Amino acid sequence: MDHDTAGRTSRQILDAVGSAVIADDHFLETVMTGVLARGHVLLEDVPGTGKTLTAQSFATALDLSFKRVQFTPDLLPSDITGSNVFNEATGEFDFQPGPVFANVVLADEINRAPPKTQAALLEAMGEKQVTVDGVTHDLPEPFFVIATQNPVEQEGTFGLPEAQRDRFIVKTSMGYPDFGGERELIDRRADRTAQAPSVTSVIDGERLPALQRTVESVTVDGTLRDYVVELGRATREDDRVDVGVSPRGIQRLFEATRAAAVLDGRDYAVPDDVKSVVGEAFAHRLVLTADAGVRGVDPATVVDDVLDRVEVPAVNPGR
């Protein structure tokens, strides 16, 4: 698949999802960037903004299997990965796959489950396999997780540590819809006999890997690669930051940059591709100092300041 076709196909997917989900274009593009880059996406927002609908809509548009896991304090790792169940007919134990065995897995309110359960999912995200009683089971391909966090009602929750947040290629939020968007929601509810907007499959699920492979062939100029590295290293030198972006985080920005280029139908990346994704790729990886936390510093502000400080390279498009 060439990059122009990949870009047009990606836009068709976004249009299909946007027909059902009331959200701004940048949010949907960020999620699509994660899909193209074979990454996992973390959504943090208040309840009722449409996070579950977003995950379901992407799964439908991509013609992929979908499973939702509601994370709760009593959720066990086996509730996610699956377990061996004794079969009386055969006298043997049979593996019963858990909900993680789907192409798209929605981990709803991931911060409400204890760390051991969170780790079971995060291991599956990293290895794309699970091991139960010493036997390894491969997860379906493609496989990606959309996890959600609720930023309110933090009592009794278990926030993801930085090392686990690092597993997600991007973190974003939907935010509240504008007046027109909320009015449209009301209009949809006004006539319950009318058919609600539905998402149709845009591509066959087996074509998604071909779409993702176009990202691997995007040309990134050497000066732009230096720019990506410099941005990551600059976060570590900011006096408001205790732990800056890791080498893995820099790699994820590089991958997201190439995916952003594909989304625009190009086979080469430009500085604007980096700028369009760096906030969502970096902010959740920063650990601020205690003083910065007391002063209410937003990690996104730190990323914006880093963008202002690091010189943007002159890149020859297409090189």
Side-chain angles (χ1 to χ4, degrees):
M1 184 182 297
D2 62 71
H3 296 81
D4 182 62
T5 302
R8 283 188 280 106
T9 303
S10 298
R11 290 295 169 185
Q12 291 170 357
I13 293 167
L14 289 173
D15 289 343
V17 173
S19 68
V21 178
I22 304 298
D24 64 59
D25 292 341
H26 182 69
F27 166 76
L28 295 178
E29 288 171 357
T30 300
V31 178
M32 189 65 198
T33 297
V35 173
L36 289 173
R38 294 187 175 93
H40 308 288
V41 178
L42 179 61
L43 307 180
E44 183 173 272
D45 224 321
V46 297
T49 53
K51 299 184 293 294
T52 299
L53 178 61
T54 297
Q56 290 176 323
S57 297
F58 268 99
T60 302
L62 295 167
D63 190 31
L64 299 175
S65 61
F66 173 80
K67 292 286 181 65
R68 174 182 178 271
V69 184
Q70 179 63 54
F71 277 62
T72 57
D74 61 346
L75 195 72
L76 299 174
S78 59
D79 293 329
I80 296 173
T81 61
S83 58
N84 289 320
V85 178
F86 185 70
N87 187 330
E88 292 185 1
T90 62
E92 299 177 346
F93 283 91
D94 295 332
F95 178 67
Q96 298 296 317
V100 76
F101 284 85
N103 298 122
V104 182
V105 177
L106 173 63
D108 215 356
E109 296 191 293
I110 189 174
N111 56 326
R112 297 208 177 278
K116 188 174 183 179
T117 302
Q118 292 176 1
L121 175 66
L122 292 162
E123 179 182 4
M125 289 164 54
E127 306 299 330
K128 295 193 176 181
Q129 63 184 27
V130 298
T131 302
V132 178
D133 294 338
V135 179
T136 298
H137 306 271
D138 292 328
L139 295 175
E141 180 64 34
F143 170 76
F144 63 94
V145 171
I146 298 178
T148 72
Q149 285 192 141
N150 185 348
V152 298
E153 300 176 348
Q154 293 298 309
E155 295 81 2
T157 63
F158 305 86
L160 293 176
E162 192 273 341
Q164 293 183 355
R165 295 197 304 271
D166 205 40
R167 298 280 184 180
F168 295 93
I169 189 168
V170 289
K171 174 188 173 186
T172 186
S173 63
M174 296 185 72
Y176 292 114
D178 59 18
F179 179 88
E182 293 193 292
R183 173 57 191 269
E184 183 175 347
L185 290 172
I186 293 296
D187 291 343
R188 290 181 183 180
R189 286 291 186 180
D191 186 1
R192 290 183 179 272
T193 61
Q195 185 175 3
S198 59
V199 179
T200 57
S201 298
V202 175
I203 63 172
D204 187 304
E206 295 180 355
R207 288 183 61 203
L208 179 58
L211 191 62
Q212 293 171 324
R213 281 194 295 271
T214 61
V215 175
E216 300 298 325
S217 58
V218 169
T219 300
V220 183
D221 187 86
T223 57
L224 194 56
R225 298 184 187 193
D226 291 342
Y227 182 55
V228 169
V229 174
E230 288 167 358
L231 287 172
R233 294 176 68 86
T235 64
R236 305 170 196 162
E237 299 167 0
D238 194 293
D239 58 10
R240 295 165 295 181
V241 175
D242 192 24
V243 180
V245 172
S246 68
R248 178 193 289 158
I250 291 174
Q251 294 175 63
R252 296 296 178 265
L253 174 59
F254 177 72
E255 293 162 1
T257 295
R258 295 195 296 182
V262 169
L263 200 56
D264 206 33
R266 286 180 280 104
D267 62 357
Y268 60 90
V270 297
D272 282 347
D273 293 326
V274 179
K275 294 179 180 180
S276 70
V277 295
V278 65
E280 287 82 0
F282 272 5
H284 65 289
R285 304 178 194 276
L286 301 181
V287 178
L288 302 182
T289 63
D291 180 63
V294 170
R295 290 188 284 117
V297 174
D298 186 350
T301 301
V302 175
V303 176
D304 288 340
D305 292 343
V306 166
L307 271 174
D308 290 338
R309 290 199 304 268
V310 177
E311 183 178 356
V312 180
V315 176
N316 183 9
R319 277 189 58 189

